[in-house]
Amino acid sequence: MSSAANVAPAPTELTNRLGYLLKHAQMRLSELTGAALEPFGLNGRDLAVLIVLAEAGAESQQEAARRLGIDRTTMVAFVDVMEGRGLVERRTHAGDRRKNVVVLTDTGRDTLERATKAAEAAEQQFLAPLTKRAGQQLKSDLLAVIRS
Amino acid sequence: MSSAANVAPAPTELTNRLGYLLKHAQMRLSELTGAALEPFGLNGRDLAVLIVLAEAGAESQQEAARRLGIDRTTMVAFVDVMEGRGLVERRTHAGDRRKNVVVLTDTGRDTLERATKAAEAAEQQFLAPLTKRAGQQLKSDLLAVIRS
DNA sequence: TATTGTTATACTCTATAACTATA
DNA sequence: TATAGTTATAGAGTATAACAATA
């Protein structure tokens, strides 16, 4: 790997374009994660929504959407699906009756836990070509560029 | 950065999901690249297509689609747009008249060169939070996981 | 019969605009 | 008047199916 990193390919080479690398990395991870989550009837996006809803706690449905970076109208559909599967429940906010608080059911929490483990395994598979340290570095570097 | 990388956040934390990181990295890069390429009337995908067509040389339109990982019917539309802008020309393959060879015009080559530089600058901006070495490592690690 | 390019069509994902109920 | 949730609708991006020309 380190020798390959020193070669510095031409900018007009597809495999040297960051956009290409990110897109195809996402495609590959999506394949692996999709297969891993298939037994739960979820995909990677669904799991992300479930994670945020679990984190959001007493907050509103719209606040959860903001965290995910998706539109509130899109969130409605996601919550509909999750609710239809008995993973979450909508409850009216105590102090503001316009708001929905979305809470995980027992089934939802159990599914979240098991699906997260399956997704973790898919990530490990995805990162297998790298050392454990390099894999962690990849994630922390991605987080750094996102937050800038 | 290095201290943050040692904290190992919980799997059920959104910012620790690789899918989330890749998606949002792509969104951010897309913003920067979109702005950088806007003067050329191109976006990141258009540039990728142009790069592949430039690389493809005497090969067919369909071979270029395969390299990009997109459908041949999608490639038709891309080539239509590029041809409409005078960046490429379709020519019938000498040995197999079913095939199109897509070649860049002089304008196309010039645009490719300048747009690539602009996209490179956007990448640098995207990678600014990292050291130059870490940025190169990020790209080579992404390439490694894609190729596995 | 198989393949390339093309067209028409449909599907997925997401956002915008408008509605309602609450504030 | 403003905000949360919802609904209907539209748009971008992509793929699948069917067709003509060629192999």
Side-chain angles (χ1 to χ4, degrees), chain A residues 36 72 86 141:
Chain A
R72 62 187 173 139
D141 284 352

Side-chain angles (χ1 to χ4, degrees), chain B residues 117-137:
Chain B
K117 281 177 184 164
E120 281 272 292
E123 270 193 29
Q124 294 311 313
Q125 196 179 345
F126 175 84
L127 295 173
L130 308 179
T131 65
K132 187 170 180 181
R133 179 178 173 153
Q136 288 172 341
Q137 191 65 46

